[in-house]
């Protein structure tokens, strides 16, 4: 049986991962630190924390595996420094503390095109995070690189809504790598990797996510 730590439980992918983890019979406890309280559940431990003041001495860091679904957008970040803090510094700090506490498996939500040497800030930061987490030495590390993530967001994003509609219509005619990466499928891959990921480093592309989504529907 597995105890998991989930970072980013209030986001689109993170919310799906939380529901799947709580429903999974292999999971005995889910630790989900957030800034605002989550709905209570018998298997959920929900520490209320701030990104700039993680309680590094808390006993709840000791878990078997973890997954990170933290991410933001430039529009929601007041500065480049704030954007980097949310998308790189905070996820890395969480992964580092989990590894120090003995976690053996970690699954990270990155992005298609992540590259630490990219001229584009978003792709570069995702790539830097991947490399930093890889250096922590998790026995099992899974990097998930979705494309456009599809799902019902809590906040209104008209441009993303329009793009999502277009991709849903054209999806059958597109190569798998260009199709929507459904949030629930992405979350399912993350959760399974955190629970039973094989030894070694693994990457899951947007094409693999799209094929998995098609198989789930089929």
């Amino acid at each position: 049986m597995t105890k998991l730590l989930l970072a980013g439980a209030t986001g689109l992918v993170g919310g799906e991962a939380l529901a799947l983890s709580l429903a999974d019979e292999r999971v005995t406890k889910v630790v989900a630190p957030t800034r605002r309280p989550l709905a209570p559940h018998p298997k959920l431990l929900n520490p209320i924390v701030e990104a700039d003041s993680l309680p590094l001495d808390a006993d709840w860091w000791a878990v078997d595996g973890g997954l990170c679904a933290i991410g933001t957008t430039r529009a929601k970040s007041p500065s480049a420094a704030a954007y980097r803090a949310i998308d790189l510094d905070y996820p890395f700090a969480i992964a580092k503390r989990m590894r120090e506490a003995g976690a053996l498996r970690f699954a990270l939500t990155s992005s298609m095109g992540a590259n630490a040497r990219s001229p584009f800030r978003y792709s570069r930061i995702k790539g830097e995070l991947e490399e930093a987490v890889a250096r922590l030495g998790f026995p099992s590390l899974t990097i998930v690189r979705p494309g456009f993530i599809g799902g019902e967001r809590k906040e209104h994003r008209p441009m993303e809504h329009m793009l999502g509609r277009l991709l849903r219509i054209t999806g059958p005619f597109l190569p798998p790598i260009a199709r929507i990466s459904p949030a629930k499928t992405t979350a399912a891959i993350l959760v399974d990797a955190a629970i039973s990921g094989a030894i070694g480093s693994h990457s899951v592309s947007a094409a693999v996510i799209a094929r998995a989504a098609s198989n789930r529907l089929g």
Side-chain angles (χ1 to χ4, degrees):
M1 304 300 283
T2 299
K3 183 177 179 182
L4 294 183
L5 190 146
L6 166 57
T10 58
L12 178 57
V13 172
E16 295 285 3
L18 178 63
L20 291 169
S21 299
L22 293 174
D24 197 306
E25 294 182 352
R26 298 171 293 176
V27 178
T28 56
K29 179 69 70 177
V30 179
V31 182
T34 58
R35 293 178 59 192
R36 59 181 185 272
L38 300 170
H41 187 281
K43 288 166 62 171
L44 177 64
L45 174 61
N46 180 212
I48 304 303
V49 302
E50 292 292 335
D52 57 355
S53 57
L54 287 173
L56 299 179
D57 59 346
D59 58 6
W60 45 259
W61 291 104
V63 295
D64 302 299
L67 55 148
C68 178
I70 293 174
T72 187
T73 63
R74 283 178 293 179
K76 295 177 67 175
S77 302
S79 67
Y83 180 73
R84 183 180 181 86
I86 295 171
D87 260 38
L88 195 160
D89 298 340
Y90 185 43
F92 176 71
I94 290 172
K96 182 174 183 291
R97 186 65 192 95
M98 284 178 49
R99 183 67 189 114
E100 292 170 344
L104 300 177
R105 297 176 299 278
F106 190 70
L108 173 69
T109 309
S110 183
S111 175
M112 182 171 62
N115 185 335
R117 283 150 289 283
S118 172
F120 303 105
R121 184 173 62 182
Y122 179 82
S123 298
R124 184 173 64 252
I125 286 177
K126 292 296 186 184
E128 289 177 6
L129 176 59
E130 288 187 10
E131 292 187 356
V133 170
R135 290 193 291 268
L136 294 175
F138 284 99
S140 174
L141 173 63
T142 301
I143 306 292
V144 181
R145 301 187 180 108
F148 179 86
I149 299 176
E152 294 299 322
R153 297 184 181 274
K154 295 178 182 178
E155 68 268 33
H156 183 54
R157 298 185 185 179
M159 292 301 294
E160 289 191 14
H161 179 71
M162 291 175 60
L163 179 57
R165 288 189 61 186
L166 177 62
L167 289 175
R168 280 190 290 272
I169 293 170
T170 60
F173 310 102
L174 297 173
I177 197 168
R179 296 175 191 168
I180 283 178
S181 298
K184 190 165 187 175
T185 305
T186 305
I189 292 170
L190 290 163
V191 170
D192 195 59
I195 295 173
S196 59
I199 297 296
S201 296
H202 316 276
S203 63
V204 180
S205 69
V208 172
I209 297 171
R211 293 190 188 102
S214 296
N215 292 337
R216 286 167 65 95
L217 292 174

